[in-house]
């Protein structure tokens, strides 16, 4: 029986760059999750009898919200729902399942790299039929509906068994519980030379993958240990846990310190990697050699032709504006376009759909290609392994060779977390207020050449996105970018991106902190970060 339940709007359901993210206890309010799901459905047209994909990263509240989604999908007229066994689907695997099944779209239940647990974070994101995040016109419509909703529809029915593969009926809708790993693993095997990687591992190459007690554990065990032959235990923290083992599943040098320490030890493996809560981010560390996400994107693009799936070359490279310019020099040498976009994978999706780009990346540890419409942590690790197997060099040797060919972009991101939103907004407003007067002024970074608020015109549809981050460019290839992040659930996070380019004839072996010290000081001087936030040091440096 379909029930129509009266409700009232919540005023805090505006989706961000990756859907709606709030604390678990916010989502547990009566009608809260239901309101948002119904607002998604009310904003869509033509889904009657169509297929919906549902799954998440296994975090706290994942299973309960899946049951709500299933009953509401049935009540709203979907014909079939594909749900990952146990409610599990990594974000890239969900994107692939949407695309491979011809689904109308999907609901991905995740707060990505944010912590999980009863007092932590949860999220819901709608992905469209290309497998990618909903574009702004869809998320704007969803938000508008959340402010006007007065009822939602849900089936009065028992919970569905989502732990047993197979099909069942929920009202007039078919629910199909699918293996969350098999289809994705087969896709990876079609892109990369598993025989060469397996031979390298059999020959003594060692690796360590930290799944951070998050969603990639089952995927990594299947691919690295079962299909590529790495020893059991290569994948650590392989069981997805609702609270990620009380850890923060963000693959950076703070939250993946155990992996970093392992890779810097005298007996370190040849290669180390990690992925995040929902499987779309990655961390790459060679023996005694950390690779920044910006450098990783550049190296992957320069060497992608070594993998079978990219042997024909790249159509183009896309990077988010805050990401370093390392990939730009690769694109220039390859003679292919380089697209600089706002942060958010939906902008890459347009380029990928139009056949204008093949590989995309963000400095926040997300890289991917046209195989899906999301960033993909396991994919990045496999492409690195394919390159290592083909080149027979260490990560450190590959990085040294890359810098000798292209020069080096010294780069770091400083995150100031948990800032009161009014203070963060005031800081950005003050920065924007001085953009016209900054050029030709001097500070610890040197002379300011130009300053602007990044705006992007999408070449696929000519849509314009404004106010995407303040850029301050100095002479001699130095840059500082200021941007507020939209991925947190409390307060605001100020992200400061600091970059210095050194050519092939310059000093390529400096310590990053020392190389960037003058620019770090310049960022403080220009934005008065401590004055606005009260923070003398960033929360996280990556």
């Amino acid at each position: 029986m379909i029930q129509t339940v009266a409700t009232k709007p919540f005023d805090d359901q505006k989706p961000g760059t990756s859907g709606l993210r709030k604390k678990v206890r916010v989502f547990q309010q009566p009608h809260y999750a239901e309101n948002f799901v119904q607002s998604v459905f009310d904003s869509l047209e033509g889904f009657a009898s169509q297929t919906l994909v549902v799954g998440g990263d296994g975090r706290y509240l994942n299973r309960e919200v899946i049951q709500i989604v299933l009953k509401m999908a049935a009540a709203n007229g979907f014909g079939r729902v594909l749900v990952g066994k146990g409610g599990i689907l990594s974000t890239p695997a969900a994107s692939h399942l949407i695309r491979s099944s011809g689904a109308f779209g999907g609901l991905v239940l995740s707060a990505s790299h944010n912590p999980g647990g009863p007092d932590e974070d949860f999220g819901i994101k709608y992905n469209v039929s290309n497998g990618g995040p909903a574009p702004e016109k869809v998320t704007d419509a969803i938000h508008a509906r959340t402010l006007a909703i007065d009822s939602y529809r849900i089936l009065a029915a028992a919970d569905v068994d989502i732990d047993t593969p197979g099909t069942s009926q929920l009202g007039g809708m078919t629910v199909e519980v699918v293996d969350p790993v098999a289809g994705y693993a087969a896709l990876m095997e079609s892109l990369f030379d598993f025989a060469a990687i397996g031979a390298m591992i059999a020959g003594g190459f060692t690796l360590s993958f930290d799944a951070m007690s998050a969603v990639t554990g089952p995927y990594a065990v299947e691919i690295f240990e079962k299909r590529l032959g790495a020893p059991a235990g290569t994948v650590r923290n392989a069981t997805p846990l609702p609270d990620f083992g009380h850890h923060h599943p963000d693959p950076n040098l703070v939250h993946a310190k155990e992996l970093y320490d392992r890779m810097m030890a005298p007996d370190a493996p040849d290669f180390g990697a990690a992925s995040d809560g929902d499987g779309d981010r990655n961390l790459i560390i060679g023996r005694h050699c950390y690779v920044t996400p910006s450098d990783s994107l550049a190296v992957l693009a320069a060497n992608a032709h070594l993998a079978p799936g990219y042997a024909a070359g790249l159509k183009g490279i896309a990077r988010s504006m805050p990401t370093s310019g390392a990939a730009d020099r690769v694109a220039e040498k390859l003679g292919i376009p380089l697209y600089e976009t706002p942060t958010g994978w939906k902008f890459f999706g347009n380029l990928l759909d139009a056949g204008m780009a093949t590989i995309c990346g963000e400095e926040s540890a997300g890289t991917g290609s046209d195989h899906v419409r999301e960033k993909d942590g396991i994919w990045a690790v496999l492409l690195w392994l394919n390159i290592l197997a083909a080149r027979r060099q260490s990560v450190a040797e590959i990085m040294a060779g890359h810098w000798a060919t292209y020069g080096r972009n010294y780069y770091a991101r400083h995150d100031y977390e948990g800032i009161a939103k009014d203070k963060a907004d005031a800081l950005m407003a003050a920065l924007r207020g001085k953009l016209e007067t900054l050029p030709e002024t001097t500070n610890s970074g040197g002379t300011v050449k130009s300053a602007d608020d990044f705006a992007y015109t999408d070449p696929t549809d000519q849509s314009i996105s404004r106010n995407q981050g303040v850029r301050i460019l100095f002479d001699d290839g130095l840059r500082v970018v200021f941007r507020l992040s939209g991925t947190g659930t409390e307060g605001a996070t100020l992200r400061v991106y600091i970059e210095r380019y050194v050519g092939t004839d310059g000093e390529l072996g400096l310590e990053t902190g020392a190389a960037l010290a003058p620019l770090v000081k310049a960022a403080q001087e220009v934005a008065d970060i401590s004055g606005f936030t009260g923070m003398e040091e960033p929360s996280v440096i990556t």
Side-chain angles (χ1 to χ4, degrees):
M1 184 176 69
I2 296 174
Q3 295 180 330
T4 299
V5 180
T7 189
K8 294 181 179 179
F10 293 88
D11 62 5
D12 62 346
Q13 293 195 329
K14 180 177 175 59
T17 55
S18 297
L20 180 68
R21 293 182 184 174
K22 299 290 180 183
K23 290 296 181 184
V24 163
R25 298 197 188 281
V26 174
F27 271 101
Q28 287 176 322
Q29 296 175 89
H31 311 305
Y32 193 90
E34 292 89 342
N35 271 26
F36 187 73
V37 172
Q38 187 66 57
S39 295
V40 172
F41 294 161
D42 286 351
S43 304
L44 307 176
E45 295 180 354
F47 61 78
S49 302
Q50 297 291 313
T51 297
L52 181 73
V53 167
V54 179
D57 58 16
R59 68 176 57 234
Y60 191 91
L61 206 63
N62 189 68
R63 296 175 69 92
E64 293 86 346
V65 174
I66 284 178
Q67 296 294 340
I68 291 171
V69 169
L70 292 176
K71 294 169 188 177
M72 292 185 68
N76 279 272
F78 278 94
R80 179 175 70 147
V81 170
L82 303 179
V83 58
K85 179 184 175 183
I88 293 294
L89 272 177
S90 75
T91 291
S95 179
H96 173 59
L97 185 56
I98 292 169
R99 294 167 62 81
S100 62
S101 67
F104 185 88
L107 285 170
V108 181
L109 310 183
S110 172
S112 189
H113 55 291
N114 294 1
D119 296 313
E120 299 296 350
D121 299 343
F122 189 77
I124 304 177
K125 179 175 70 169
Y126 179 69
N127 281 27
V128 295
S129 60
N130 76 345
E136 286 182 329
K137 63 181 180 181
V138 176
T139 56
D140 287 346
I142 294 169
H143 180 224
R145 182 57 185 157
T146 68
L147 298 175
I149 189 170
D150 59 6
S151 66
Y152 60 84
R153 293 180 296 282
I154 189 166
L155 198 69
D159 285 355
V160 178
D161 176 7
I162 60 172
D163 295 309
T164 305
T167 60
S168 60
Q169 289 299 123
L170 184 60
M173 184 182 77
T174 300
V175 177
E176 184 175 348
V177 178
V178 301
D179 184 329
V181 175
Y184 174 85
L187 175 64
M188 294 299 103
E189 199 157 4
S190 74
L191 295 173
F192 301 111
D193 189 344
F194 273 35
I197 300 171
M200 178 177 70
I201 292 172
F205 180 89
T206 53
L207 64 148
S208 181
F209 182 88
D210 191 342
M212 305 192 83
S213 300
V215 78
T216 50
Y219 297 85
V221 169
E222 173 65 26
I223 292 171
F224 300 134
E225 295 185 3
K226 295 182 179 179
R227 299 199 183 198
L228 292 173
T234 293
V235 180
R236 302 197 181 196
N237 301 311
T239 302
L241 301 175
D243 62 357
F244 306 118
H246 302 292
H247 296 300
H248 192 145
D250 191 352
N252 61 39
L253 298 185
V254 173
H255 300 302
K257 188 176 185 301
E258 179 183 337
L259 174 66
Y260 177 82
D261 290 344
R262 191 180 314 138
M263 296 308 301
M264 297 299 136
D267 59 346
D270 294 299
F271 182 80
S275 191
D276 71 327
D278 67 331
D280 62 358
R281 299 186 182 209
N282 69 88
L283 171 66
I284 302 297
I285 312 179
R287 177 184 290 149
H288 306 161
C289 180
Y290 164 64
V291 182
T292 71
S294 293
D295 275 346
S296 181
L297 170 65
V299 169
L300 295 180
N303 294 276
H305 63 281
L306 299 174
Y310 307 94
L314 308 180
K315 298 172 183 175
I317 305 169
R319 65 165 176 85
S320 64
M321 179 274 289
T323 302
S324 92
D328 303 37
R329 292 170 177 83
V330 174
E332 181 180 9
K333 184 169 183 178
L334 294 176
I336 59 176
L338 185 286
Y339 302 95
E340 184 181 36
T341 76
T343 297
W345 209 261
K346 56 194 173 187
F347 297 103
F348 293 150
N350 290 346
L351 297 169
L352 296 171
D353 284 347
M356 300 170 71
T358 305
I359 284 184
C360 310
E362 297 179 333
E363 52 68 39
S364 55
T367 41
S369 83
D370 56 0
H371 69 291
V372 291
R373 294 298 181 269
E374 292 276 8
K375 46 188 177 257
D376 190 344
I378 294 283
W379 171 91
V381 174
L382 284 168
L383 183 48
W384 262 102
L385 290 173
N386 203 143
I387 293 166
L388 291 166
R391 292 186 54 168
R392 297 290 177 176
Q393 292 178 296
S394 68
V395 173
E397 289 169 337
I398 287 174
M399 291 311 307
H402 185 87
W403 293 330
T405 301
Y406 297 98
R408 183 174 181 181
N409 291 72
Y410 288 98
Y411 183 88
R413 188 183 87 190
H414 290 201
D415 287 358
Y416 296 82
E417 298 177 339
I419 305 170
K421 191 174 186 306
D422 60 339
K423 293 181 179 180
D425 289 341
L427 183 152
M428 293 301 296
L431 268 176
R432 290 186 168 107
K434 63 173 71 172
L435 288 178
E436 292 186 2
T437 60
L438 274 173
E440 305 305 323
T441 62
T442 59
N443 53 43
S444 295
T447 300
V448 176
K449 183 167 65 174
S450 64
D452 66 6
D453 197 350
F454 180 63
Y456 175 69
T457 300
D458 193 315
T460 68
D461 60 12
Q462 304 308 306
S463 61
I464 299 175
S465 300
R466 305 185 189 278
N467 302 320
Q468 296 297 312
V470 171
R471 301 186 296 181
I472 300 175
L473 307 179
F474 296 83
D475 292 331
D476 303 324
L478 287 74
R479 183 180 77 151
V480 178
V481 175
F482 300 85
R483 177 179 164 270
L484 296 183
S485 170
T487 60
T489 60
E490 283 188 322
T493 295
L494 171 69
R495 288 186 170 160
V496 184
Y497 310 86
I498 301 158
E499 179 176 5
R500 173 190 171 191
Y501 175 69
V502 175
T504 56
D505 57 348
E507 294 184 278
L508 302 177
L510 296 174
E511 191 273 324
T512 299
L516 296 178
L519 274 179
V520 172
K521 188 175 181 182
Q524 179 64 248
E525 293 168 355
V526 170
D528 188 18
I529 298 172
S530 60
F532 278 99
T533 70
M535 301 176 70
E536 297 295 334
E537 300 290 339
S539 310
V540 179
I541 298 176
T542 52

